[in-house]
Amino acid sequence: MFKNICFLWLAFLVCLHAQNTEVAQLNQQLGSFQLKFQHLMHTRGTHWYQSKKIDVQMLSTAINEYDKSKNTALLFYFFEASQLHHWVVDHTGIVVHTTTPLNEQKLQKYTNSIRNYYQQQNHRGAKVKSGTKNNKPPKELGILTKELFPSTTITALEKYFHWMVVPASEIAAIPIYTLQPFEDQNIFVVDKHVVNIAHSMDEFLNQVVYQNEESGIKWQRKVTLPLKNPLLIGNPDFSGCENQFSSLLGAEKEVALIGDLLQTKTWIGKEATKNVLMEKSKNSNLIYLATHGISDSSDPMHASYLVMSTNQDGNCEKVTAMEAQNLKLLPETLVVLSACQTGLGQTLDAGIIGVGRAFIKAGASNVVMSLWDVNDQATLELMQVYAEQLLKSQSYFPSNSLRNSMLQYKQKNPNPSAWGAFISMGTPIVIESNFTLQR
């Protein structure tokens, strides 16, 4: 009997030591990640930025405050010594820790291969690619799925409806909704889970405070967000642009249909100017931009941009990532970037700098952005459904609105390249929420 008690006590001590070791390791990686994110912020011009000190206890407490239904898990990725660490954290602390032999060079290679596979012709980018599309998925798609979601990670994550992904390096550029990591390989992530990309640990913690204390969202059973001056811009006049951007008839129709749905003015063609965006964005909580988008990995803040209408002098107008991040947006603003490559840019250790993140820096709570050159007609059809979903009350708003629009459109067009190009970055509202039309 005494030996059994001693054995159990020894086993408990061993388990406790292992647990403490994991906590210490995650705390060290969180600290390193925060420094890397601080470097990311400095790189995009915010030289005064200082990251918060974060530990496991702080994260689990924030998750508990954020989602009382206990349906949220945070998936934190971290590269170290040619390995990718996966940490699943929930309201109780560390759920599981796994490593896979994936380095950043292989990640970039796999991601580029997948993105090229999903590219379509007639996209909202400057260059129209020739040639036929390869209908056979590249082997890199299966390899990357296993590296990002090994069995121990996916088994832990399946218990949670909402995944909040804190990406390292280029992971934010991976179309997670289109992956099939489950035992039943006919099931996509989009079929079972809502996924959003966390802009940063700091932003998540700030949003928890805002939603729970400043806005009072925590104490409500349902949140309705009256639409304030929706800003819908589509298919600007590209006649003065040297790059010979093609007219986007799908984008024009897309914005017109959404304008009818939301009963609001639209800015199309010559009216879709840079000045309209810069002036009217400060008073709108829904900014919708359907135009050409360009990403640049060498100079992401000045050479990544959205194309606006040619000005009175005949010059092509652009809104760069630097200009976008200097906007002053309303709290709980949703920005939809229905354009090519808005989720891409320069890859750093703590994520990607580009147009998408710039709007988060400007104050948006959530940004919907694209991961490859999207097809004009497919985007028109998907985004029309998305606009309808924004008016429907649902949990994890507006990330779940995007997911539900994908599921609905997927029934019509099952090809992931048609429905899987977009991802939501930010912090969704957990309890049932929706936009409402002001009468």
Side-chain angles (χ1 to χ4, degrees), residues 145 154 158 178-189 191-192:
T145 299
I154 197 64
E158 280 193 278
T178 70
L179 302 184
Q180 297 167 288
F182 308 106
E183 187 174 346
D184 183 346
Q185 296 185 359
N186 293 315
I187 297 176
F188 294 90
V189 169
D191 295 325
K192 298 178 65 175

Side-chain angles (χ1 to χ4, degrees), residues 37-71:
F37 183 76
Q38 182 172 295
H39 171 68
L40 181 151
M41 294 292 283
H42 292 177
T43 301
R44 70 186 200 186
T46 320
H47 302 292
W48 49 265
Y49 188 88
Q50 282 193 315
S51 293
K52 297 178 180 178
K53 291 184 179 180
I54 294 177
D55 58 27
V56 179
Q57 181 62 45
M58 188 183 298
L59 265 187
S60 59
T61 300
I63 294 170
N64 185 58
E65 285 295 308
Y66 171 67
D67 189 353
K68 293 296 185 182
S69 67
K70 299 177 173 50
N71 278 322

Side-chain angles (χ1 to χ4, degrees), residues 326-339:
N326 289 327
L327 295 170
K328 304 298 181 185
L329 304 182
L330 297 173
E332 294 302 334
T333 293
L334 169 62
V335 177
V336 181
L337 302 177
S338 184

Side-chain angles (χ1 to χ4, degrees), residues 13 39 55-56 61 96 126 158 186-187 199 231 249 251-252 284 299 324 332 336 357 392 397 412 414 422 436:
L13 291 177
H39 171 68
D55 58 27
V56 179
T61 300
V96 71
E158 280 193 278
N186 293 315
I187 297 176
H199 170 253
L231 179 56
L249 298 181
E252 181 171 331
S284 173
D299 186 8
E332 294 302 334
V336 181
R357 275 185 186 266
K392 297 180 180 180
F397 176 87
K412 176 182 178 181
F422 292 91
T436 56

Side-chain angles (χ1 to χ4, degrees), residues 2 7 19 26 30-31 45 89 96 174 180 193 197 220-221 242 249 286 306 310 318 321 329 390 394 416 430:
F2 178 73
F7 176 79
Q19 215 171 28
L26 177 52
L30 286 171
V89 180
V96 71
I174 296 167
Q180 297 167 288
H193 302 277
I197 303 297
Q220 300 178 45
R221 296 181 64 184
E242 295 179 359
L249 298 181
L286 174 61
L306 298 170
T310 300
K318 303 169 184 176
L329 304 182
L390 290 174
Q394 50 201 299
V430 173

